[in-house]
Amino acid sequence: MAGDASTTPWRILARACAHEGDHVGACEALEQAWRVSGEREVEARLLQARLLGRSGRFEAALALLDALPELPAQEASTRSQLAAVQRLRLGDLAGSCREAEAAVQAAPSDPRARGLRARLRALAGDADGARSDLARLEEMAPGSLTLLADRATLRDQAGARAEADADWARVVAQAGEDPEGFVWQLLWSGRDDETRQVAEPALQGRPRHP
């Protein structure tokens, strides 16, 4: 995370807390970084919103994102992507789709924004729009594992089980030790066995919380 020297201690503390799974402590440290910077360190605010969402405080995350000032294109896209996720978790699919559209409009070359819009279009029943986004993603990021997972999700929703099976097998084989996003997509697709295959290796050796 970039920032000026005055916020460095708070950013270091936030990273340490997040690494230990203490999202509340990380959010508190990022709040201090935001204040010390004179409310200019947008990356700290975006990360704070992300951590609030991960800890289940979706409304609080959305409030932070909605209160941000006008941002440069890429940061505006990231803000909208985060807001789309929070709105979806709150059950607002229409609002989530609007945020995803804004994310793509702000940064058309960002594959994350387009992948998110593809997934949300599929959830909303817009299969043609989702396929269009995935086709564009194949041009933008050939070989992307995220793209492969997006395509597998869409194929599951379309009932193309054999093709989805092949895509998910490749995702499971390549997910490695950073499985979080793929776990959620597998769960949404009802792929319980594949979810366990991806998640269990990453959990081995991690401390268990009481």
Side-chain angles (χ1 to χ4, degrees):
M1 186 197 318
D4 60 58
S6 66
T7 66
T8 297
W10 296 112
R11 288 185 284 112
I12 292 173
L13 177 59
R15 285 187 181 277
C17 289
H19 180 72
E20 294 297 323
D22 179 8
H23 290 171
V24 173
C27 286
E28 291 175 351
L30 290 166
E31 180 69 25
Q32 291 299 322
W34 173 252
R35 291 177 180 176
V36 168
S37 73
E39 301 188 355
R40 290 189 302 273
E41 193 162 318
V42 173
E43 287 187 34
R45 208 57 160 174
L46 293 173
L47 181 54
Q48 185 181 3
R50 189 187 301 273
L51 291 171
L52 284 169
R54 286 184 178 178
S55 62
R57 299 166 65 187
F58 309 134
E59 292 180 346
L62 195 55
L64 284 188
L65 295 167
D66 286 345
L68 285 171
E70 185 174 350
L71 301 173
Q74 186 56 62
E75 289 178 335
S77 179
T78 300
R79 189 219 72 84
S80 292
Q81 291 174 52
L82 290 171
V85 172
Q86 310 317 314
R87 292 191 190 282
L88 183 63
R89 287 167 170 169
L90 290 167
D92 181 9
L93 178 57
S96 184
C97 288
R98 287 193 295 271
E99 294 283 8
E101 183 67 33
V104 174
Q105 293 299 318
S109 62
D110 184 347
R112 296 171 304 171
R114 200 167 291 269
L116 176 62
R117 190 175 70 174
R119 293 194 294 275
L120 290 171
R121 282 177 163 178
L123 284 174
D126 181 7
D128 289 342
R131 280 192 289 268
S132 175
D133 275 334
L134 289 177
R136 180 71 182 101
L137 272 172
E138 288 178 353
E139 299 173 2
M140 295 167 63
S144 164
L145 195 59
T146 299
L147 167 61
L148 193 62
D150 288 341
R151 188 175 70 185
T153 300
L154 181 59
R155 283 174 164 173
D156 266 328
Q157 291 169 340
R161 187 75 181 187
E163 293 89 344
D165 284 345
D167 283 344
W168 282 127
R170 290 174 59 192
V171 171
V172 169
Q174 299 177 52
E177 296 186 2
D178 187 22
E180 182 177 353
F182 303 119
V183 165
W184 282 114
Q185 285 183 261
L186 285 161
L187 286 171
W188 286 339
S189 296
R191 298 269 180 165
D192 294 340
D193 290 342
E194 290 90 341
T195 299
R196 284 190 288 271
Q197 290 179 55
V198 170
E200 287 176 359
L203 293 174
Q204 290 175 2
R206 290 190 180 182
R208 299 288 183 179
H209 295 287

